[in-house]
Amino acid sequence: KLIRCKHYISLLFLLTVSVQLLYAQSTTYVPANGNVYIYGNDTLAIFGDMINEGNMTAPKGAVINFYGLKWRNEEAATIKDGSSDGYSGDGGVFRFIQPNPVSGNILYQLIKGGYNAAVQRGCSFPNIRVESGPGIVLDDLSDLKVVNTLDLQQGHVFLNGWNLVVGHHTPGSILHYSSQNFIVTGGTFGGGRLYRSNITSASGTVIFPVGTRPDSYTPAGVHNNGQPATFNVGVSDGVL
């Protein structure tokens, strides 16, 4: 069963398909048997926390504005882009935004991505745009995967000891990175790492915009002239 989101929807409440989008800043919940489809050129706003245990589809043109504090994907959940395999299209944009217009708070937002970089399995987002001054933080016990584009409009992504994967069939794109907006890995050995998928010679130099702390930007670049491969980069404050 599908939910059709009309032009700007801040709230949906539908009991018959067991997909509960609750009022104000209550938790939005998509259960394991739930299916949410956001049509292209439609916008969905979520002001409270989000739990996705089911299946979401966000094709190109769909926009999801998330103002809550915590987005949680379970590993068996999916967020697909509307293409035949769910991961070959442009997909919609998931915007992580602060301040929350309801509460006025400006806080870090947590993401439990539901992905496992070690076994390359789990849930992923088509595109994420960070528009949060404090930034977003990867929640415990889960990596995060962005299939197409990670857009760092405002704020850092703090790996918090976990991993961020960008790309799927290609290395994907990371936009608007700078010394003010980048991926913060933490400064310890064995901390979080940034992965870029399937880098080829045609990819050119692929940038890994990372640093150990918000005041320590130390990006890296990879140019691969060999077989397609996934590369990962981590940073530490010490040397081996």
PDB file of all heavy atoms in Angstrom, residues 150-163:
ATOM      1  N   LEU A 150      26.099  13.461  -1.216  1.00  0.00           N
ATOM      2  CA  LEU A 150      26.117  14.046   0.115  1.00  0.00           C
ATOM      3  C   LEU A 150      26.456  15.519  -0.066  1.00  0.00           C
ATOM      4  O   LEU A 150      27.551  15.861  -0.505  1.00  0.00           O
ATOM      5  CB  LEU A 150      27.157  13.364   0.999  1.00  0.00           C
ATOM      6  CG  LEU A 150      27.405  14.007   2.369  1.00  0.00           C
ATOM      7  CD1 LEU A 150      26.155  13.923   3.237  1.00  0.00           C
ATOM      8  CD2 LEU A 150      28.596  13.354   3.056  1.00  0.00           C
ATOM      9  N   ASP A 151      25.514  16.390   0.268  1.00  0.00           N
ATOM     10  CA  ASP A 151      25.670  17.825   0.064  1.00  0.00           C
ATOM     11  C   ASP A 151      25.858  18.492   1.425  1.00  0.00           C
ATOM     12  O   ASP A 151      24.945  18.556   2.234  1.00  0.00           O
ATOM     13  CB  ASP A 151      24.434  18.382  -0.647  1.00  0.00           C
ATOM     14  CG  ASP A 151      24.623  19.817  -1.104  1.00  0.00           C
ATOM     15  OD1 ASP A 151      25.658  20.427  -0.773  1.00  0.00           O
ATOM     16  OD2 ASP A 151      23.730  20.334  -1.798  1.00  0.00           O
ATOM     17  N   LEU A 152      27.062  19.007   1.665  1.00  0.00           N
ATOM     18  CA  LEU A 152      27.391  19.613   2.955  1.00  0.00           C
ATOM     19  C   LEU A 152      27.148  21.111   2.891  1.00  0.00           C
ATOM     20  O   LEU A 152      28.082  21.921   2.909  1.00  0.00           O
ATOM     21  CB  LEU A 152      28.847  19.310   3.313  1.00  0.00           C
ATOM     22  CG  LEU A 152      29.219  17.833   3.415  1.00  0.00           C
ATOM     23  CD1 LEU A 152      30.714  17.664   3.616  1.00  0.00           C
ATOM     24  CD2 LEU A 152      28.442  17.155   4.545  1.00  0.00           C
ATOM     25  N   GLN A 153      25.886  21.482   2.843  1.00  0.00           N
ATOM     26  CA  GLN A 153      25.534  22.896   2.758  1.00  0.00           C
ATOM     27  C   GLN A 153      25.957  23.663   4.003  1.00  0.00           C
ATOM     28  O   GLN A 153      26.470  24.771   3.921  1.00  0.00           O
ATOM     29  CB  GLN A 153      24.022  23.046   2.551  1.00  0.00           C
ATOM     30  CG  GLN A 153      23.523  22.621   1.195  1.00  0.00           C
ATOM     31  CD  GLN A 153      23.663  23.716   0.159  1.00  0.00           C
ATOM     32  OE1 GLN A 153      23.925  24.864   0.476  1.00  0.00           O
ATOM     33  NE2 GLN A 153      23.501  23.344  -1.109  1.00  0.00           N
ATOM     34  N   GLN A 154      25.716  23.062   5.172  1.00  0.00           N
ATOM     35  CA  GLN A 154      26.068  23.707   6.431  1.00  0.00           C
ATOM     36  C   GLN A 154      26.199  22.654   7.508  1.00  0.00           C
ATOM     37  O   GLN A 154      25.257  21.930   7.797  1.00  0.00           O
ATOM     38  CB  GLN A 154      25.020  24.748   6.839  1.00  0.00           C
ATOM     39  CG  GLN A 154      25.363  25.484   8.118  1.00  0.00           C
ATOM     40  CD  GLN A 154      24.268  26.430   8.563  1.00  0.00           C
ATOM     41  OE1 GLN A 154      23.133  26.314   8.123  1.00  0.00           O
ATOM     42  NE2 GLN A 154      24.601  27.373   9.433  1.00  0.00           N
ATOM     43  N   GLY A 155      27.382  22.579   8.111  1.00  0.00           N
ATOM     44  CA  GLY A 155      27.578  21.652   9.211  1.00  0.00           C
ATOM     45  C   GLY A 155      28.451  20.463   8.848  1.00  0.00           C
ATOM     46  O   GLY A 155      28.601  20.101   7.683  1.00  0.00           O
ATOM     47  N   HIS A 156      29.022  19.850   9.868  1.00  0.00           N
ATOM     48  CA  HIS A 156      29.875  18.672   9.713  1.00  0.00           C
ATOM     49  C   HIS A 156      29.048  17.389   9.786  1.00  0.00           C
ATOM     50  O   HIS A 156      27.916  17.378  10.264  1.00  0.00           O
ATOM     51  CB  HIS A 156      30.927  18.634  10.816  1.00  0.00           C
ATOM     52  CG  HIS A 156      31.854  19.805  10.827  1.00  0.00           C
ATOM     53  ND1 HIS A 156      32.756  20.057   9.824  1.00  0.00           N
ATOM     54  CD2 HIS A 156      32.030  20.800  11.732  1.00  0.00           C
ATOM     55  CE1 HIS A 156      33.459  21.139  10.103  1.00  0.00           C
ATOM     56  NE2 HIS A 156      33.022  21.623  11.254  1.00  0.00           N
ATOM     57  N   VAL A 157      29.682  16.286   9.340  1.00  0.00           N
ATOM     58  CA  VAL A 157      29.181  14.942   9.613  1.00  0.00           C
ATOM     59  C   VAL A 157      30.179  14.288  10.565  1.00  0.00           C
ATOM     60  O   VAL A 157      31.345  14.083  10.206  1.00  0.00           O
ATOM     61  CB  VAL A 157      29.040  14.100   8.332  1.00  0.00           C
ATOM     62  CG1 VAL A 157      28.575  12.684   8.680  1.00  0.00           C
ATOM     63  CG2 VAL A 157      28.064  14.747   7.363  1.00  0.00           C
ATOM     64  N   PHE A 158      29.743  13.986  11.786  1.00  0.00           N
ATOM     65  CA  PHE A 158      30.599  13.382  12.797  1.00  0.00           C
ATOM     66  C   PHE A 158      30.414  11.859  12.752  1.00  0.00           C
ATOM     67  O   PHE A 158      29.318  11.354  13.000  1.00  0.00           O
ATOM     68  CB  PHE A 158      30.235  13.912  14.183  1.00  0.00           C
ATOM     69  CG  PHE A 158      30.520  15.376  14.374  1.00  0.00           C
ATOM     70  CD1 PHE A 158      29.572  16.330  14.030  1.00  0.00           C
ATOM     71  CD2 PHE A 158      31.737  15.794  14.887  1.00  0.00           C
ATOM     72  CE1 PHE A 158      29.830  17.688  14.204  1.00  0.00           C
ATOM     73  CE2 PHE A 158      32.007  17.148  15.065  1.00  0.00           C
ATOM     74  CZ  PHE A 158      31.052  18.099  14.717  1.00  0.00           C
ATOM     75  N   LEU A 159      31.503  11.140  12.456  1.00  0.00           N
ATOM     76  CA  LEU A 159      31.389   9.687  12.300  1.00  0.00           C
ATOM     77  C   LEU A 159      31.225   8.969  13.638  1.00  0.00           C
ATOM     78  O   LEU A 159      30.659   7.873  13.672  1.00  0.00           O
ATOM     79  CB  LEU A 159      32.607   9.140  11.563  1.00  0.00           C
ATOM     80  CG  LEU A 159      32.800   9.659  10.131  1.00  0.00           C
ATOM     81  CD1 LEU A 159      33.921   8.896   9.438  1.00  0.00           C
ATOM     82  CD2 LEU A 159      31.508   9.571   9.322  1.00  0.00           C
ATOM     83  N   ASN A 160      31.735   9.536  14.719  1.00  0.00           N
ATOM     84  CA  ASN A 160      31.479   8.984  16.053  1.00  0.00           C
ATOM     85  C   ASN A 160      31.930   7.527  16.163  1.00  0.00           C
ATOM     86  O   ASN A 160      31.292   6.703  16.833  1.00  0.00           O
ATOM     87  CB  ASN A 160      29.976   9.110  16.374  1.00  0.00           C
ATOM     88  CG  ASN A 160      29.650   8.836  17.824  1.00  0.00           C
ATOM     89  OD1 ASN A 160      30.445   9.087  18.710  1.00  0.00           O
ATOM     90  ND2 ASN A 160      28.458   8.295  18.058  1.00  0.00           N
ATOM     91  N   GLY A 161      33.027   7.180  15.464  1.00  0.00           N
ATOM     92  CA  GLY A 161      33.545   5.821  15.525  1.00  0.00           C
ATOM     93  C   GLY A 161      32.968   4.875  14.491  1.00  0.00           C
ATOM     94  O   GLY A 161      33.375   3.698  14.427  1.00  0.00           O
ATOM     95  N   TRP A 162      32.045   5.346  13.645  1.00  0.00           N
ATOM     96  CA  TRP A 162      31.412   4.502  12.643  1.00  0.00           C
ATOM     97  C   TRP A 162      31.843   4.934  11.248  1.00  0.00           C
ATOM     98  O   TRP A 162      32.757   5.739  11.090  1.00  0.00           O
ATOM     99  CB  TRP A 162      29.886   4.510  12.838  1.00  0.00           C
ATOM    100  CG  TRP A 162      29.564   4.072  14.222  1.00  0.00           C
ATOM    101  CD1 TRP A 162      29.267   4.861  15.292  1.00  0.00           C
ATOM    102  CD2 TRP A 162      29.614   2.736  14.727  1.00  0.00           C
ATOM    103  NE1 TRP A 162      29.103   4.112  16.429  1.00  0.00           N
ATOM    104  CE2 TRP A 162      29.317   2.803  16.123  1.00  0.00           C
ATOM    105  CE3 TRP A 162      29.867   1.508  14.140  1.00  0.00           C
ATOM    106  CZ2 TRP A 162      29.272   1.669  16.915  1.00  0.00           C
ATOM    107  CZ3 TRP A 162      29.818   0.379  14.946  1.00  0.00           C
ATOM    108  CH2 TRP A 162      29.518   0.458  16.304  1.00  0.00           C
ATOM    109  N   ASN A 163      31.233   4.391  10.206  1.00  0.00           N
ATOM    110  CA  ASN A 163      31.710   4.599   8.846  1.00  0.00           C
ATOM    111  C   ASN A 163      30.645   5.242   7.966  1.00  0.00           C
ATOM    112  O   ASN A 163      29.450   4.980   8.129  1.00  0.00           O
ATOM    113  CB  ASN A 163      32.132   3.260   8.231  1.00  0.00           C
ATOM    114  CG  ASN A 163      33.201   2.562   9.029  1.00  0.00           C
ATOM    115  OD1 ASN A 163      34.309   3.063   9.172  1.00  0.00           O
ATOM    116  ND2 ASN A 163      32.877   1.395   9.582  1.00  0.00           N
TER     117      ASN A 163
END
